[in-house]
Amino acid sequence: MTLPSADQPSVVAAAATASEPSLAAAAGSATEGGSRGRGALAPVGLVLAGGISVQFGGALAVSLMPRAGALGVVTLRLVVAAIVLLAVCRPKLRGHSRADWGTVVVFGIAMAAMNGLFYQSVARIPLGPAVTLEVLGPLALSVLASRRAINLVWAGLALAGVFLLGGGGFTSLDPAGVAFALGAGAMWAAYIVFSARTGRRFPQADGLALAMVVAAVLFLPLGIAESGSDLLVPTTVALGACVAILSSVLPYTLELLALRRLPASTFAILMSLEPAVAATAGFLALDQALSLFEALAIALVIAASMGAVRTQVGRGKAKGLEPS
C-alpha cells in the first residue's frame, strides 16, 4: 500500500473498499443509507476498543516493571504476542515478494522501537504525560497526510487538549522520559503507515504476526541482558502474557483491520483519545486522580476525536449518495 500523501488522503480506505467485504453490509442494515453509516462507524469502534485495551495493558505493565524492568516487560509482551499471533494466524511464508517482506521487516522494527521507547518513558514519567507526548506523532501524521481543512481543525483542537493534559508544559518531567515519549510518538506514526501497508499486502493478520516475530527477535537480547532469569518467573510470565494480550494482540489486530477501511489521517486524529484513556486507566488501575484542569483537557481531546468521527461518517454518507 502506498503512503497517504497530499495527493492521496484516503488511499487506505479506497484500497480497503476494493479488497474487503463491506462492514456495513455485514451489519444487516434495514436501509442502504443506514448500512453505509454503520460501515463508516465500524472501523472507528475497532480503533476505540484497541485504545482502551492498550492503555489498560500499559497500566498493568507499569506495575510489572519492578519485577522485570522496562526492557524485560517489552520482551515478554512482544514474545508472547508473537507466539499467540503465530498460533492463531498460521501465516504462509511462501508466495510473498521481496517488497512484501521488506514492508513486514520495517513494520516489525517500528513496533519494537515504539514499544521500547514508550516503556523507557513510563519508567521515568507518569503514564498520562507519557501517552500525551507520544500522541503528538500521530497528530503530526494527520496534518501531513490530509488535504482537508476540517482535519486540520480537529488536529489543532486535539493538540490543544494534549498540551492542557500536560499541565500547559512538561518542564517538571524527567528530560530523558520526555525524549523517549517523543521518540515513541515518531515510531507510532511509522507504525500507522506500515500497519496500513502490511494490511494491504498480507491477508487477514498474517503480516502482523510476521512483523511481531521480527520485533520479538530484535528485542529478546535486550530483555535477557536487563532481566535475565527474572523473565522465567511464573508470575512474571503470566503478567507479561496479560500485558501482551491487552497491549499487543488485541489492539494491533483491531487497528490493522480498521486501517483497511479508515483513512490514515482520520485514524491518527482518533489516536488523540489515548491520553484520555490512559488517564482513566491510571485512575482505575494505578490510583492516579484527575484534576479539573486535566478533565478539561480530556474534554477537548474527545471533542476533536468526535469531530474526526463525524467527518468520516459524513464521507461515507456522501459516497452513498453518489451515483453508482
Side-chain angles (χ1 to χ4, degrees):
M1 176 174 291
T2 55
L3 173 64
S5 64
D7 296 325
Q8 296 169 303
S10 304
V11 68
V12 177
T17 302
S19 61
E20 292 293 316
S22 170
L23 293 181
S29 169
T31 65
E32 183 178 355
S35 291
R36 293 182 184 275
R38 284 196 290 274
L41 282 172
V44 171
L46 293 177
V47 174
L48 296 180
I52 293 171
S53 180
V54 75
Q55 294 308 330
F56 277 88
L60 178 59
V62 171
S63 66
L64 181 58
M65 284 182 186
R67 293 173 177 265
L71 298 180
V73 171
V74 176
T75 299
L76 287 171
R77 169 179 171 173
L78 295 177
V79 169
V80 173
I83 293 173
V84 171
L85 286 173
L86 284 177
V88 172
C89 299
R90 298 181 182 180
K92 295 180 180 179
L93 300 181
R94 296 181 179 180
H96 302 299
S97 68
R98 185 173 298 179
D100 293 341
W101 285 112
T103 300
V104 160
V105 169
V106 176
F107 186 24
I109 293 172
M111 278 198 293
M114 178 180 67
N115 281 282
L117 291 170
F118 178 72
Y119 280 96
Q120 287 294 326
S121 175
V122 296
R124 294 168 171 81
I125 62 178
L127 181 62
V131 176
T132 299
L133 287 165
E134 187 190 26
V135 83
L136 294 178
L139 282 173
L141 177 63
S142 73
V143 173
L144 295 175
S146 177
R147 292 177 59 187
R148 305 192 73 198
I150 189 63
N151 278 339
L152 296 178
V153 173
W154 304 135
L157 185 60
L159 187 60
V162 162
F163 279 106
L164 281 175
L165 191 60
F170 298 92
T171 56
S172 62
L173 300 176
D174 181 278
V178 171
F180 281 128
L182 292 174
M187 291 299 100
W188 194 355
Y191 159 80
I192 292 172
V193 172
F194 283 95
S195 177
R197 291 186 178 187
T198 300
R200 176 66 186 276
R201 290 180 178 274
F202 291 83
Q204 305 303 322
D206 287 9
L208 173 63
L210 295 172
M212 192 68 73
V213 172
V214 173
V217 169
L218 289 175
F219 233 94
L220 187 58
L222 299 176
I224 293 175
E226 181 181 74
S227 304
S229 60
D230 289 343
L231 295 177
L232 301 178
V233 175
T235 303
T236 301
V237 172
L239 291 174
C242 292
V243 172
I245 298 299
L246 290 173
S247 296
S248 294
V249 176
L250 285 177
Y252 290 172
T253 301
L254 294 174
E255 289 170 5
L256 184 145
L257 294 175
L259 276 166
R260 288 176 172 172
R261 293 189 55 83
L262 198 65
S265 57
T266 303
F267 178 90
I269 296 175
L270 284 171
M271 291 297 97
S272 62
L273 268 178
E274 296 292 341
V277 180
T280 303
F283 173 72
L284 296 177
L286 302 175
D287 198 25
Q288 298 174 349
L290 291 174
S291 68
L292 181 61
F293 193 70
E294 291 169 333
L296 175 61
I298 290 173
L300 286 176
V301 174
I302 291 175
S305 295
M306 289 178 63
V309 172
R310 289 181 62 85
T311 298
Q312 172 65 7
V313 172
R315 290 181 66 186
K317 290 182 178 179
K319 289 180 180 180
L321 295 176
E322 294 174 356
S324 57

